[in-house]
Amino acid sequence: MTKTSKFAPTKALKKYTLLASLIAAAATVIPAQATTLKISHVRPQGTVVDNDIKQLSNELKAATDGDLKLRVYAANALGDYTLVQERISVGAIDMALQPASTSTDRKMQIGLLPFLANNWDEAQNIYGSGAPVRTAMEELFAKQDITLLAAYPVYFGGISLNRTAVEAGNPDVNKGIKLRVPPIKSFQLLADNVGYIGSPLPFSEAFTAVQTGVVDGVIGSGAEGYYASFRDVTKTYIPLNTHFEIWYLMINSERLNDLDDSEKNALVSAAAEFESRRWGAAQLDQKANEQKLVDAGATIVEMTPAQLKLTADKVRTTVWPQIINDIGSDWSQPILDKALN
């Protein structure tokens, strides 16, 4: 009778070794699951911003051989921008391209100061990569566990009216015109200090309010926004350069850090190109959207440089001190001093 060596593998051990080998072999042929990031934005499908995000997604797929892609949710499908920013902060949504929500931190009003920038060159020097306000916004987002990947310049703001304008270039005239303003202090003060009557209303109620005559128009957006959402009730558009509308490409910081190095590097690189491309296109888009309003039946009230300066000077004198005090002058004034030098 042949004796079994105490070192010979048992049947159970042989079966375990075979099973482990089969599992290891199977793992080598199963492709790695692609990483998909959910990204929200505020405009309908087919708009410029929607197409820009889809281009960003295609670039990410190409750079990572399909390992990283975006699933785009247009037209506030995941909630309005205030809610989305809160959900990104806690990791419930991965990414967004949208305005900054001042309800999460009132210091974010620094990016919405009216007449902070007066032309496109000034805007890039204030909001572009490495610029003072941009750096401040990055730090504020970081406190909410959000990483700011890129800025997305949209337009200089103006006023949409469902009637004719009254002394549009003179901020000292009481115009007797009621405007819907976003529920943000800077816009309320802006409307009130350039001769209008500001009426804070949620965006969801704004169109009906203009249509039914509750208000005579809207402030807080620009030609692109008014064409997208208010063209049927816009009879007059005043390109007053009220504020510089800039959106931010943001991602939950933990989600970003969970990406592997190649995915993370691809996203950061693609975001930088995304921003650079937009600075080159934004000014042309603003003109194109003003023309779309004209084609839809609106009259453009052209502002002279002197009228723009008159309005800007008054707003900086009357509105700025209140906003600066509200967000803390010790924090905000040094940033503004750098931005305006």
Side-chain angles (χ1 to χ4, degrees), residues 4 25 33 40-41 51 62 96 111 134 136-137 155 164 175 223 251 280 282-284 306 312 325 332 340:
T4 302
Q33 192 72 24
S40 169
H41 73 82
N51 292 334
R134 168 66 165 279
M137 293 298 290
Y155 48 66
T164 56
K175 300 166 179 61
I251 184 171
Q283 190 169 357
L284 294 176
N325 183 65
S332 59
L340 297 174

Side-chain angles (χ1 to χ4, degrees), residues 284-301:
L284 294 176
D285 280 351
Q286 177 174 306
K287 289 295 182 184
N289 282 299
E290 289 174 358
Q291 185 58 48
K292 286 181 180 180
L293 285 175
V294 171
D295 295 341
T299 298
I300 305 289
V301 180

Side-chain angles (χ1 to χ4, degrees), residues 63-333:
T64 62
D65 294 327
D67 289 340
L68 181 62
K69 57 186 178 179
L70 305 180
R71 181 176 297 156
V72 182
Y73 292 84
N76 294 315
L78 300 180
D80 71 15
Y81 72 94
T82 299
L83 175 61
V84 166
Q85 184 169 318
E86 292 172 357
R87 296 186 71 193
I88 292 174
S89 178
V90 298
I93 297 174
D94 300 317
M95 296 180 67
L97 178 64
Q98 62 180 36
S101 169
T102 60
S103 66
T104 58
D105 187 340
R106 63 184 182 180
K107 286 182 177 180
M108 287 190 165
Q109 291 181 88
I110 196 169
L112 289 173
L113 269 179
F115 296 97
L116 179 56
N118 295 295
N119 57 59
W120 287 92
D121 288 339
E122 287 184 9
Q124 191 160 6
N125 289 332
I126 291 170
Y127 298 98
S129 180
V133 171
R134 168 66 165 279
T135 300
M137 293 298 290
E138 289 174 350
E139 294 170 354
L140 293 174
F141 274 117
K143 292 179 180 179
Q144 299 176 38
D145 295 322
I146 295 173
T147 297
L148 197 163
L149 293 169
Y152 187 89
V154 189
Y155 48 66
F156 278 95
I159 298 172
S160 163
L161 298 177
N162 195 20
R163 49 159 294 166
T164 56
V166 175
E167 293 284 353
N170 190 341
D172 297 320
V173 171
N174 186 349
K175 300 166 179 61
I177 294 175
K178 184 179 287 188
L179 297 178
R180 177 267 173 178
V181 301
I184 299 172
K185 186 174 182 178
S186 60
F187 284 112
Q188 175 75 66
L189 292 170
L190 170 61
D192 293 346
N193 280 275
V194 296
Y196 295 93
I197 304 165
S199 179
L201 288 170
F203 180 81
S204 60
E205 299 176 17
F207 181 88
T208 302
V210 178
Q211 189 179 46
T212 58
V214 173
V215 295
D216 303 303
V218 184
I219 194 171
S221 189
E224 183 266 352
Y226 295 135
Y227 180 77
S229 303
F230 296 93
R231 61 180 176 271
D232 293 336
V233 292
T234 299
K235 293 182 179 178
T236 305
Y237 178 62
I238 306 167
L240 197 60
N241 288 5
T242 51
H243 71 291
F244 188 70
E245 182 80 2
I246 191 154
W247 299 344
Y248 298 99
L249 181 66
M250 59 186 80
I251 184 171
N252 173 267
S253 297
E254 185 175 348
R255 189 72 172 102
L256 177 64
N257 291 332
D258 284 343
L259 300 178
D260 65 36
D261 288 345
S262 63
E263 292 172 338
K264 186 174 182 179
N265 291 338
L267 180 57
V268 170
S269 177
E273 178 60 29
F274 175 79
E275 176 172 346
S276 176
R277 188 164 56 237
R278 182 58 194 170
W279 278 109
Q283 190 169 357
L284 294 176
D285 280 351
Q286 177 174 306
K287 289 295 182 184
N289 282 299
E290 289 174 358
Q291 185 58 48
K292 286 181 180 180
L293 285 175
V294 171
D295 295 341
T299 298
I300 305 289
V301 180
E302 297 292 348
M303 296 287 98
T304 67
Q307 289 172 324
L308 293 175
K309 185 178 186 306
L310 181 66
T311 306
D313 288 346
K314 180 172 184 182
V315 169
R316 287 186 174 195
T317 300
T318 59
V319 175
W320 277 28
Q322 297 182 68
I323 301 300
I324 291 170
N325 183 65
D326 186 48
I327 62 180
S329 59
D330 290 345
W331 174 80
S332 59
Q333 194 61 59

Side-chain angles (χ1 to χ4, degrees), residues 42-58:
V42 299
R43 292 290 186 252
Q45 292 185 20
T47 54
V48 169
V49 61
D50 186 63
N51 292 334
D52 283 350
I53 292 175
K54 288 174 181 175
Q55 181 178 349
L56 174 65
S57 181
N58 289 335

